[in-house]
Amino acid sequence: MATLCFQSPSKPISYFQPKSKPSPPLFAKVSLFRCRASVQTLIAVEPEPVFTSVKTFAPATVANLGPGFDFLGCAVDGLGDHVTLRVDPSVRAGEILISEITGTTTKLSTNPLRNCAGIAAIATMKMLGIRSVGLSLDLHKGLPLGSGLGSSAASAAAAAVAVNEIFGRKLGREELVLAGLESEAKVSGYHADNIAPAIMGGFVLIRNYEPLDLKPLRFPADKDLFFVLVSPEFEAPTKKMRAALPTEIPMVHHVWNSSQAAALVAAVLEGDAVMLGKALSSDKVVEPTRAPLIPGMEAVKKAALEAGAFGCTISGAGPTAVAVIDAAEKGEMIGEKMVEAFLKVGHLKSVASVKKLDKIGARLVNSISR
């Protein structure tokens, strides 16, 4: 759990010159920890359940998008996790039981305090002030662990939305993101670039964390954008990949990344897939540190660009590589070249898929009324 604050509350990034060199370049000192407050009860009167059972889905996400480390992310269509939640008289009032975990992994704990879905569900129950009803939860994992596709966030998002739906949708999406952040903080760090798009859909900019300030970015409906996702048989735990990041960066890289992140936001709003790809490929801070830890990643990026991708980078903490293009057929060909590069250079088997932007986010799939 991240509990340390920025060194200076008013200046989360401070600039300085190391004393060891007479005329060094400026550096930006970066803190990866954030202050946060725990969730509070937001509903004055405890709501009653409107359903006996609900099933929800939350999509996979691509965090960072190259230069947008910890403040940009998007949801992708078709991949994700499901949660089935039931009112259960056999569970003590105000508590939740995780009864079953199925899908891509069964290694996860069924202790709600040690499970992404459980933590988010408990946080949502606390926001709603649930004290009189017990719940049981089934989690179906559609995403593998440590894939770089927001596996923990998908579980947390599906669970938070399920609790909110079963009690009549009393909370807004930003409040559900806060509940999901409780889970992310304990699993991979207090960052919202997965959980926000998992709940809200589309592209999301995290403008501030304290207080949380989220800005949905609307990609034009009349423009085409496809993500080529290539996932190798290699696990890259988020905590490990975050630990590899530099604590200081050259000022010139800070300026460069800031300009590329701004260009990426502009590209999203204008529906410019080519500019989006160029900006996504231009990270000089995080990707250069993480790419060498993923066998073959640099060759995979080169293969994607040579095959015609507009851009390519690491999805989240990796190891999935993500490329962008404006046509599904082109995406399939690019994916084949990326798979070949992972095998030839990284000696890793991988699977490619071409997906569109998920503009909806976590949602109710079906329900049973009381």
Side-chain angles (χ1 to χ4, degrees):
M1 183 186 299
T3 56
L4 299 179
C5 303
F6 286 122
Q7 292 182 336
S8 169
S10 61
K11 291 185 177 181
I13 299 179
S14 59
Y15 304 110
F16 66 100
Q17 291 183 324
K19 295 180 180 179
S20 58
K21 296 181 181 180
S23 299
L26 288 176
F27 283 76
K29 191 169 186 179
V30 181
S31 171
L32 300 180
F33 300 95
R34 300 183 181 86
C35 298
R36 67 183 186 89
S38 60
V39 298
Q40 304 295 322
T41 300
L42 303 177
I43 306 299
V45 179
E46 180 183 358
E48 294 185 2
V50 297
F51 300 113
T52 59
S53 175
V54 297
K55 183 176 182 179
T56 57
F57 170 81
T61 48
V62 175
N64 302 338
L65 295 168
F69 176 71
D70 274 10
F71 65 88
L72 284 172
C74 69
V76 294
D77 184 53
L79 304 170
D81 290 358
H82 286 88
V83 159
T84 301
L85 188 71
R86 296 174 295 276
V87 174
D88 192 336
S90 69
V91 178
R92 184 180 300 177
E95 295 186 0
I96 190 164
L97 170 73
I98 297 179
S99 53
E100 186 177 30
I101 299 174
T102 58
T104 58
T105 181
T106 55
K107 296 191 300 182
L108 295 173
S109 173
T110 56
N111 181 341
L113 298 176
R114 296 179 179 273
N115 181 285
C116 304
I119 297 167
I122 291 169
T124 309
M125 292 173 72
K126 182 176 180 180
M127 285 181 167
L128 291 168
I130 303 303
R131 298 177 297 274
S132 304
V133 177
L135 302 171
S136 61
L137 181 153
D138 295 344
L139 172 63
H140 181 78
K141 291 295 298 177
L143 296 173
L145 304 179
S147 61
L149 292 171
S151 178
S152 62
S155 297
V161 169
V163 174
N164 193 41
E165 290 288 344
I166 210 166
F167 289 103
R169 200 182 297 177
K170 303 296 183 182
L171 300 175
R173 290 199 164 194
E174 285 204 14
E175 293 161 338
L176 295 178
V177 171
L178 281 172
L181 272 171
E182 287 286 303
S183 174
E184 291 286 84
K186 294 182 180 180
V187 175
S188 59
Y190 196 72
H191 55 91
D193 47 348
N194 287 116
I195 189 66
I199 288 175
M200 302 173 75
F203 289 90
V204 180
L205 165 68
I206 298 91
R207 196 195 70 81
N208 193 26
Y209 278 91
E210 290 294 334
L212 186 66
D213 187 355
L214 305 174
K215 179 65 177 177
L217 306 173
R218 304 300 181 193
F219 191 86
D222 61 339
K223 300 294 181 70
D224 290 325
L225 179 67
F226 292 87
F227 299 91
V228 185
L229 304 170
V230 181
S231 301
E233 293 180 355
F234 182 83
E235 190 169 328
T238 301
K239 283 189 175 181
K240 177 182 176 181
M241 300 301 278
R242 289 180 79 85
L245 297 178
T247 56
E248 297 177 2
I249 59 172
M251 175 64 80
V252 65
H253 289 174
H254 166 64
V255 173
W256 171 263
N257 264 42
S258 297
S259 68
Q260 299 309 306
L264 197 151
V265 170
V268 170
L269 296 177
E270 294 175 3
D272 188 336
V274 175
M275 183 165 70
L276 192 157
K278 289 179 178 178
L280 177 138
S281 286
S282 300
D283 174 30
K284 290 187 177 181
V285 176
V286 176
E287 184 184 315
T289 303
R290 287 177 167 172
L293 303 179
I294 303 170
M297 179 58 74
E298 290 159 332
V300 169
K301 179 174 182 174
K302 181 180 179 181
L305 297 176
E306 289 179 348
F310 297 151
C312 181
T313 190
I314 302 169
S315 177
T320 295
V322 56
V324 293
I325 195 66
D326 60 355
E329 297 78 11
K330 292 181 186 176
E332 291 171 3
M333 184 269 289
I334 291 167
E336 291 175 3
K337 296 297 183 182
M338 293 168 72
V339 168
E340 290 174 7
F342 258 132
L343 186 60
K344 182 177 179 180
V345 180
H347 307 292
L348 295 175
K349 294 180 180 179
S350 58
V351 177
S353 60
V354 180
K355 301 295 181 182
K356 299 186 75 172
L357 183 70
D358 184 310
K359 298 181 180 181
I360 302 172
R363 60 263 200 185
L364 181 68
V365 176
N366 57 53
S367 60
I368 300 175
S369 299
R370 296 190 72 185

